[in-house]
Amino acid sequence: EVKRGGKNGYRFYSAELDEELLFKIEIEADLRKAVERGELEVYYQPQYRMPNRELIGMEALLRWHHPVRGMVSPGQFVPIAEETGLIMDIGRWVLKEACRQAKAWHEAGLTKVPVSVNLSTQQFHQPDLDIEIEQILIETGLDPKYLELEITESMMMDASASIEIMNRLKRLGIRLSLDDFGTGYSSLSYLSRLPISRLKIDRSFVMRLEESGTEQAIVTTIIAMAYSLGMDVIAEGIETEGQLRILTEERCLEFQGYYFSRPLPPGDLFPTDDWSLTKRGA
Ligand code: C2E
Ligand code: MG
Ligand code: MG
Ligand code: MG
């Protein structure tokens, strides 16, 4: 008997491929119009320092309200935007929007913390990125010390070229952090040469922290490494009290995750009747 939709059937496999290709083609076409149609939005996820739950930053995370598909996650469309070059326009838009928003919060007296913006590989290698960012900082009036750019190890194929890009960015007075840390292949000596202020421990380690001694050992090493290099360290994707406890015991002080708050649209971040920002989100 041949089961329809069975996982081993050739037809199932090829149908799945067609669907994936179709998805890509559609997303690409729709994404071209998304910016001008105002379908993109930036959400913000708060970052805290313990033990006092002090708000220390906001990570800007792109959201796309697709007219038909509903919410499409950046994990799905950022790689496509990257492949097609659309990420250049989108990335510039996110940077400007995040800087504008941070400045607005500062001026409204709501909070004065830095905003973190994810860079894409293509943006990182854009020759005039530093000039573009300087321009955005001038236009929005945001003090450079309140902008942090998140980069990943996977962007740095050529070590010395990457270090030069980072040094140019640092000259603007902004901060740099290393996102998804632990999933790449940076050597300790390489890492010590990077002008990075903060390591972000990848969620994949945090996720398995309560079940696996291996993950605990890795995380302990990352934290010790960060401090010995004079960097801060933040854990991403904290969802449970247990994860928070283990990381705190290992002397990690900074946290970002659903346990504290999901990423939220700006209008939901500072409700007038509750400024605590904890345990909220949709
Ligand atoms: P990332 O920079 O590592 O961002 C963290 C991701 O983890 C976000 O997913 C965030 O919503 C999610 N997250 C945070 N806390 C938790 C938690 O406790 N549990 C779980 N399960 N997830 C948590 P999101 O927003 O879907 O973004 C995914 C990735 O897409 C980002 O990973 C980043 O690499 C990329 N991305 C997002 N916005 C932008 C952007 O503006 N530009 C670029 N180039 N990439 C972006
Ligand atoms: Mg990030
Ligand atoms: Mg990350
Ligand atoms: Mg990531």
Side-chain angles (χ1 to χ4, degrees):
E1 184 204 342
V2 180
K3 280 186 187 161
R4 284 190 61 192
K7 279 204 170 22
N8 302 318
Y10 171 76
R11 289 188 55 174
F12 178 82
Y13 183 61
S14 99
E16 207 171 61
L17 273 184
D18 286 349
E19 219 173 277
E20 201 180 302
L21 186 62
L22 209 65
F23 177 77
K24 252 175 97 160
I25 292 168
E26 273 182 35
I27 290 290
E28 185 187 339
D30 294 349
L31 203 49
R32 286 187 191 280
K33 299 166 243 161
V35 180
E36 52 196 77
R37 289 185 181 169
E39 293 166 10
L40 297 180
E41 196 181 352
V42 183
Y43 278 32
Y44 297 86
Q45 188 174 35
Q47 302 169 337
Y48 297 92
R49 183 179 289 122
M50 296 304 269
N52 302 324
R53 287 200 183 197
E54 175 198 357
L55 180 68
I56 54 161
M58 298 278 196
E59 179 173 4
L61 293 160
L62 195 51
R63 293 292 178 265
W64 181 13
H65 302 275
H66 189 282
V68 178
R69 294 178 184 276
M71 195 75 113
V72 183
S73 97
Q76 289 182 295
F77 72 84
V78 168
I80 296 173
E82 183 80 56
E83 263 178 61
T84 54
L86 288 169
I87 197 71
M88 299 303 271
D89 283 346
I90 294 172
R92 191 180 314 114
W93 179 81
V94 173
L95 264 167
K96 185 153 185 193
E97 179 53 27
C99 289
R100 188 202 58 74
Q101 183 63 75
K103 179 70 182 178
W105 283 328
H106 297 179
E107 291 204 317
L110 283 168
T111 183
K112 202 152 188 180
V113 294
V115 68
S116 305
V117 180
N118 293 283
L119 271 196
S120 73
T121 306
Q122 278 202 40
Q123 278 177 294
F124 182 69
H125 293 286
Q126 177 189 338
D128 62 346
L129 179 67
D130 56 332
I131 295 166
E132 190 175 286
I133 290 173
E134 191 174 30
Q135 205 75 48
I136 290 173
L137 289 166
I138 291 168
E139 282 171 34
T140 57
L142 184 70
D143 185 329
K145 72 179 180 204
Y146 293 114
L147 176 63
E148 177 180 83
L149 298 180
E150 297 194 358
I151 55 190
T152 63
E153 293 163 275
S154 62
M155 293 178 187
M156 304 173 218
M157 291 324 230
D158 175 338
S160 56
S162 300
I163 291 170
E164 198 185 311
I165 294 171
M166 284 186 255
N167 282 333
R168 262 196 286 126
L169 292 170
K170 280 297 289 184
R171 258 178 251 136
L172 298 173
I174 65 174
R175 299 202 308 174
L176 299 176
S177 69
L178 209 47
D179 202 0
D180 305 342
F181 189 73
T183 60
Y185 299 94
S186 300
S187 67
L188 190 55
S189 68
Y190 179 41
L191 202 60
S192 70
R193 296 168 58 206
L194 304 181
I196 292 281
S197 314
R198 178 157 81 153
L199 297 183
K200 299 193 78 176
I201 303 174
D202 192 63
R203 186 168 71 85
S204 58
F205 301 114
V206 175
M207 221 164 62
R208 294 191 292 264
L209 213 47
E210 287 163 294
E211 294 94 56
S212 159
T214 313
E215 255 66 34
Q216 280 203 35
I218 292 170
V219 161
T220 303
T221 305
I222 294 175
I223 295 166
M225 198 160 77
Y227 290 147
S228 72
L229 293 170
M231 296 172 183
D232 292 323
V233 61
I234 182 166
E236 300 195 277
I238 296 286
E239 292 186 0
T240 70
E241 189 94 50
Q243 292 163 351
L244 180 64
R245 185 180 43 74
I246 295 168
L247 283 157
T248 305
E249 280 167 9
E250 298 304 329
R251 299 192 308 123
C252 180
L253 295 175
E254 300 183 3
F255 302 94
Q256 177 182 349
Y258 293 175
Y259 178 76
F260 293 97
S261 172
R262 291 194 175 235
L264 295 168
D268 290 359
L269 276 163
F270 298 102
T272 45
D273 57 343
D274 170 20
W275 292 34
S276 69
L277 280 176
T278 52
K279 301 271 192 178
R280 295 175 29 79

